[in-house]
């Protein structure tokens, strides 16, 4: 039997997994997180119970999930690599553990599942006709999750949002393609094509949305999918402009320059760098407006957790070490892309 207040977070060292772990802990949940290379079988840190294990090992996931009523599946292969080998086995292990515990699986969804036939405004029930290998893998992942939930013994909630950013975000466009963590911001890259809108999601808002849906899990269908509106950057430069305002407001120096993201350099290096090759495969999402329709979420919750853009961007820059937490100007450093 599962404990209704115990949750297993897979991927707690990452962006959304870490955000979920911290928020659930603050809301009174008993939080367990699994990590490879822990060195010991179990360790408590910051109120979170860490256990040794690998999401690719079915026995590890099954053991870690003992007594859990919720499993947050926020684990992905790093650097966009080895999806074909790892993504589906990992979700199969999570499904098996959830069925054994009668648990609810919470999954951060992606826009990769959809093709141009669903653009520019994607409804929750839009056909998932992915046109990239990565997208087709994500479609299969959600199909397996839906089939298992509809067969009984478990439930699943998918929350789909735009590109993540936040104070503790890890692998994302904001911290890896637009600014550089740990440095004063001298310039901001803009990945979107000129004038093309793009959707972003502030990680604390995503976590709050997931937790609010979890609070209602007993009233949801066995498999429930929701979209978040997040922050819509209508021009492709609104987020970068918010960075500029934050730097000036916090005394971080001169207004950062705004520069187009160097896609040419990514293309040049892509034959030799797997991550760059994968990034190129996702470029289509920056070349046309792709927006998620959150009507179903609004119907369910009555609102969507939403931090104002300037507040979210400033908190993100402080968290990334690009702005000082105490308002003292950052040391002058060389310009960076």
């Amino acid at each position: 039997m599962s404990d209704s207040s115990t949750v297993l977070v897979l991927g707690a060292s990452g962006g959304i997994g870490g955000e979920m772990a911290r928020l659930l802990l603050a809301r009174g949940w008993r939080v367990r997180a699994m990590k490879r290379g822990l060195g010991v079988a179990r360790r408590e840190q910051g109120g979170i119970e860490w256990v040794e294990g690998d999401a690719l090992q079915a026995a590890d996931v099954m053991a870690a999930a003992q007594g859990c009523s919720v499993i947050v599946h926020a684990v992905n292969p790093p650097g966009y690599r080895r999806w074909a080998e790892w993504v589906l086995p990992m979700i199969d292990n999570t499904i098996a553990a959830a069925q054994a515990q009668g648990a609810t699986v919470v999954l951060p969804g992606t826009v990769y599942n959809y093709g141009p036939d669903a653009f520019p405004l994607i409804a929750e029930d839009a056909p998932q006709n992915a046109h990239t290998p990565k997208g087709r893998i994500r479609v299969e992942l959600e199909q397996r999750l839906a089939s298992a939930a509809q067969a009984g013994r478990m439930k699943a909630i998918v929350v789909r949002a735009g590109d993540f950013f936040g104070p503790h975000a890890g692998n994302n466009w904001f911290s890896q393609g637009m600014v550089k963590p740990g440095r004063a911001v001298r310039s901001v890259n803009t990945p979107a094509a000129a004038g093309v809108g793009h959707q972003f999601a502030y990680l604390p808002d995503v976590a709050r949305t997931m937790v609010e849906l979890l609070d209602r899990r007993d009233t949801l269908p066995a498999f429930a999918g929701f979209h978040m509106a997040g922050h819509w950057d209508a021009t492709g430069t609104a987020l970068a402009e918010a960075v500029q305002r934050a730097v000036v407001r916090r005394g971080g120096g001169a207004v950062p320059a705004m520069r187009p993201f160097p896609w040419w350099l990514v293309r040049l290096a892509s034959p030799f760098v797997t991550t760059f090759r994968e990034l190129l495969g996702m470029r289509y999402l920056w070349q046309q407006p792709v927006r998620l329709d959150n009507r179903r979420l609004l119907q369910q919750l009555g609102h969507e957790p939403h931090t104002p853009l300037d507040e979210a961007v400033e908190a993100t820059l402080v968290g990334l070490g690009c702005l000082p937490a105490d308002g003292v100007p950052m040391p002058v450093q060389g310009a960076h892309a």
Side-chain angles (χ1 to χ4, degrees):
M1 294 293 292
S2 64
D3 180 343
S4 62
S5 64
T6 302
V7 56
L8 171 65
V9 181
L10 301 176
S13 297
I16 185 59
E19 205 69 51
M20 283 291 286
R22 287 185 290 273
L23 181 58
L24 287 164
L25 187 67
R27 295 204 177 185
W29 286 71
R30 180 186 175 195
V31 179
R32 186 178 301 152
M34 191 176 73
K35 183 178 181 180
R36 286 184 304 167
L38 192 62
V40 293
R42 292 177 183 267
R43 182 179 69 191
E44 185 166 316
Q45 184 175 15
I48 297 174
E49 178 192 8
W50 290 88
V51 299
E52 170 73 32
D54 186 339
L56 281 167
Q57 299 299 319
D60 289 355
V61 180
M62 189 69 73
Q66 289 294 317
C68 294
S69 65
V70 172
I71 302 175
V72 177
H73 187 92
V75 60
N76 271 315
Y80 296 100
R81 293 167 291 189
R82 306 190 75 169
W83 275 48
E85 299 173 57
W86 290 358
V87 168
L88 295 179
M90 286 193 294
I91 196 62
D92 286 342
N93 294 341
T94 291
I95 287 171
Q99 289 175 325
Q101 299 300 315
T104 297
V105 175
V106 183
L107 175 77
T110 73
V111 296
Y112 309 155
N113 300 51
Y114 301 100
D117 61 312
F119 300 164
L121 185 63
I122 307 173
E124 282 101 340
D125 57 357
Q128 295 192 0
N129 297 317
H131 73 193
T132 66
K134 186 177 281 77
R136 288 189 284 272
I137 290 171
R138 289 293 302 202
V139 171
E140 174 65 20
L141 181 156
E142 289 189 26
Q143 287 175 343
R144 292 186 186 189
L145 196 58
S147 296
Q150 290 159 1
R153 292 193 296 161
M154 62 167 284
K155 300 184 80 167
I157 301 171
V158 177
V159 177
R160 209 177 313 277
D163 275 308
F164 292 159
F165 71 102
H168 306 289
N171 298 327
N172 62 83
W173 272 97
F174 189 93
S175 65
Q176 294 185 309
M178 297 181 67
V179 302
K180 286 191 176 181
R183 299 188 185 183
V185 183
R186 297 287 176 254
S187 64
V188 190
N189 289 328
T190 55
V196 172
H198 194 79
Q199 189 163 350
F200 293 91
Y202 185 51
L203 269 179
D205 291 340
V206 179
R208 283 195 291 270
T209 300
M210 289 179 168
V211 172
E212 289 191 28
L213 289 168
L214 268 178
D215 290 341
R216 294 164 169 79
R217 64 189 183 278
D218 291 341
T219 68
L220 296 177
F223 180 83
F226 300 92
H227 289 177
M228 290 186 66
H231 289 279
W232 174 244
D233 183 340
T235 63
T237 60
L239 201 72
E241 290 164 0
V243 172
Q244 291 177 322
R245 291 193 296 271
V247 170
V248 172
R249 186 167 55 248
R250 294 293 297 270
V255 178
M258 197 181 302
R259 300 174 178 172
F261 180 80
W263 285 107
W264 64 271
L265 183 59
V266 174
R267 183 175 297 279
L268 191 66
S270 62
F272 315 103
V273 182
T274 302
T275 299
F276 285 1
R277 191 159 56 248
E278 296 293 340
L279 287 178
L280 275 181
M282 296 294 109
R283 189 181 181 184
Y284 73 98
L285 295 171
W286 298 94
Q287 294 176 313
Q288 56 195 313
V290 180
R291 194 172 186 178
L292 297 167
D293 187 339
N294 72 336
R295 276 180 285 186
R296 183 183 293 172
L297 179 65
L298 293 179
Q299 289 170 358
Q300 182 63 45
L301 296 182
H303 72 289
E304 177 182 310
H306 186 83
T307 304
L309 181 62
D310 280 17
E311 179 183 335
V313 167
E314 184 170 320
T316 299
L317 292 173
V318 171
L320 294 177
C322 297
L323 285 176
D326 58 5
V328 177
M330 294 283 288
V332 175
Q333 301 180 48
H336 65 275

